Amino acid sequence: RILTNALAMVLALGVSAQATDLIISEYVEGSGSEKYIELYNGTAASINLNNYQLRLYANGGGVVPAYTGWTTNNTLAGTIAPGATVVYRNGSAGLYPAATVNTVCNWNGDDAVVLWKVSTAAPIDIFGMVTCDPGSQWLATGLSTLDRTVRRKANICAGVAANPLG
């Protein structure tokens, strides 16, 4: 009961937890080559993106817990300011040409994407599930990723750091 009351006070005051690292904030599985992924820095400091990689695990590929066997792996570059986002896209995507081209953005709806932190040699956010091929799409509670945009809820401040259900 004390914990419930404390949580209620925090929510009433509008206080929210501070993110401690990057997260995948949006995943776009558009038709054809319209593939995008957005990363969000919810921390209070700028982040050097050279310490991060995006990894694509196609069609249930990969080995857990080592997270080896990716199909495509790109080390990111630059910095991202606190509260900012960076968007990566497939090289043939045209709806948002300002996004940075990244060859990881070549999924087909049933591939896992991992945001990897180089300095800790560990995933800090995972979209999908490494080693699992769900068919043509990821499904959850009747929702599908096939040709859809998936956005993380605004109150989420940490990524999925372990392979879901794995």
Side-chain angles (χ1 to χ4, degrees):
R1 177 132 172 111
I2 293 172
L3 188 55
T4 303
N5 290 340
L7 180 58
M9 284 182 9
V10 168
L11 293 175
L13 294 172
V15 177
S16 62
Q18 180 74 47
T20 58
D21 217 323
L22 291 176
I23 61 170
I24 298 171
S25 51
E26 188 167 341
Y27 167 95
V28 177
E29 165 54 27
S31 61
S33 298
E34 296 300 326
K35 317 293 185 211
Y36 301 86
I37 196 159
E38 177 186 81
L39 305 180
Y40 171 66
N41 177 4
T43 73
S46 291
I47 292 178
N48 181 347
L49 294 173
N50 297 323
N51 190 30
Y52 298 85
Q53 298 173 337
L54 280 173
R55 295 180 174 184
L56 174 68
Y57 296 83
N59 301 318
V63 178
V64 176
Y67 293 95
T68 58
W70 57 82
T71 308
T72 308
N73 179 27
N74 288 154
T75 300
L76 306 179
T79 59
I80 183 171
T85 60
V86 60
V87 179
Y88 298 98
R89 69 177 174 93
N90 181 290
S92 298
L95 292 176
Y96 187 60
T100 302
V101 173
N102 189 303
T103 58
V104 164
C105 298
N106 194 32
W107 49 79
N108 61 8
D110 65 347
D111 304 327
V113 179
V114 173
L115 178 57
W116 185 263
K117 190 165 188 174
V118 176
S119 63
T120 60
I124 58 166
D125 205 357
I126 300 170
F127 183 89
M129 189 166 76
V130 178
T131 72
C132 177
D133 186 353
S136 61
Q137 62 198 320
W138 296 104
L139 292 170
T141 60
L143 302 174
S144 165
T145 59
L146 185 62
D147 296 335
R148 303 266 189 215
T149 297
V150 179
R151 288 183 190 95
R152 185 163 259 148
K153 291 182 177 184
N155 64 336
I156 304 297
C157 60
V160 177
N163 202 43
L165 303 174

